Amino acid sequence: MSAKSLSLLILGVFSCVAHAQDAPKGPPDGWSAFLLNNVTVQQSSEDALRNRPSPFRPDLVTHTGGRLLNFLALQFKRGDWTYQGSYSDNRTIGGGSAYSLTNPMAFGVNTVETVGNARASVDTKSGLQELAATYRRDGMTVMVGKIDTANWYLADPLFAGDLNTGNDYGNAATRVVAPPFPSLAVVMRQDFGNGFSLTGIAGDSFGDRETLDAGRNLGRGDLAYVLELNYQDTKQHYQLTLNHVDAFRYYDKDAVWPGPGDKGPKVDAVMATASYRLDTNWAGFGRVGYSWGEGQIEDINYLAGVRYDLGRFYALASQSATRVATDNTPYRRGARGDTTFVSELTLNYKLHPQVTLGVTYDLYNTSGTSLLAKDGGWSGTRRNQVIGLRLTSFLPL
């Protein structure tokens, strides 16, 4: 689907909304806030490539990973209007460690920034993440501002875990459908009642989430679009997501796509998700994603898994298969048509209703002669194992 077609579809659907169910009453008027803290450390049996190797960051090829995240959100509500701001601080922790080894949503960040014509190493990702105004009435939500839109779609309430953005769904769940992260954006959501809702997003194709200069790609006419249909009740959740990202020039931290005047290639994607709670202990979930564009290393992903809850413990086990889409992979690790298999087991324990300790084990295998460099194939191996330990705290203020 083209960007123009998707934008017209978003506008058309929302312009036809009528007789929607009234939204449930939200929080009372006044101020509210919360603080999210996450610490993750990881160890891999093989070296993995994080972004492009650089003399500024020799540790971008590594078998260790460490991450510290602090996220503060503040909002003020009066009537139908809510004004909110958030600040996020992400840091690489541990000597010689990369930001993350296994989470594809974090691939390539916290590595290098551009200052003028010079490039320098960074191990932090800090800045104003969100500054927005939201209007809610009769089941319709409209949000406008500088928004980290990755937090407003691809969420699964049944299996969202601690971060409530699908991060506990399975590390391989979004391998081929990277969020476009538009910064200056409009988010519209309509609740139709009976479990159905529709979300539409239009904004900067990537943007700079770390400064107020959020519309540099938008100023060049480069946009991203998301359209997502959801159905959910207390036992089940079904989701269909369409995603388009225009070719864009500017990343975070003033970084640009390599090469004078170059742009990253545009991307289109579709993803379908289903989850069902069988009883109080067991639930199952699955996801299929497909993306197309010249810059896609992988284009098809299948994921299936189960979740088991017992008291303060909950565990997730998943199996995914992802197809390599090109022979032009970084450092010629992997080849078109190879399949990467990821088996994942996550065990979580609620130390407190707002504090979770988790251990994750990932086993990577490939049908080809080598894993992709980012999955641990840097040395040409076909197999990799990664173990991670995390502590996540959510504190209402």
Side-chain angles (χ1 to χ4, degrees), residues 36-54:
L36 173 71
N37 174 266
N38 177 269
V39 180
T40 301
V41 292
Q42 295 168 295
Q43 180 76 34
S44 170
S45 62
E46 300 289 341
D47 282 342
L49 172 66
R50 309 307 307 160
N51 207 312
R52 296 177 299 277
S54 163

Side-chain angles (χ1 to χ4, degrees), residues 62-81:
T62 182
H63 62 278
T64 62
R67 176 185 183 185
L68 173 64
L69 164 67
N70 287 292
F71 181 85
L72 175 64
L74 179 68
Q75 74 173 26
F76 176 77
K77 181 179 182 299
R78 173 167 291 178
D80 297 328
W81 287 92

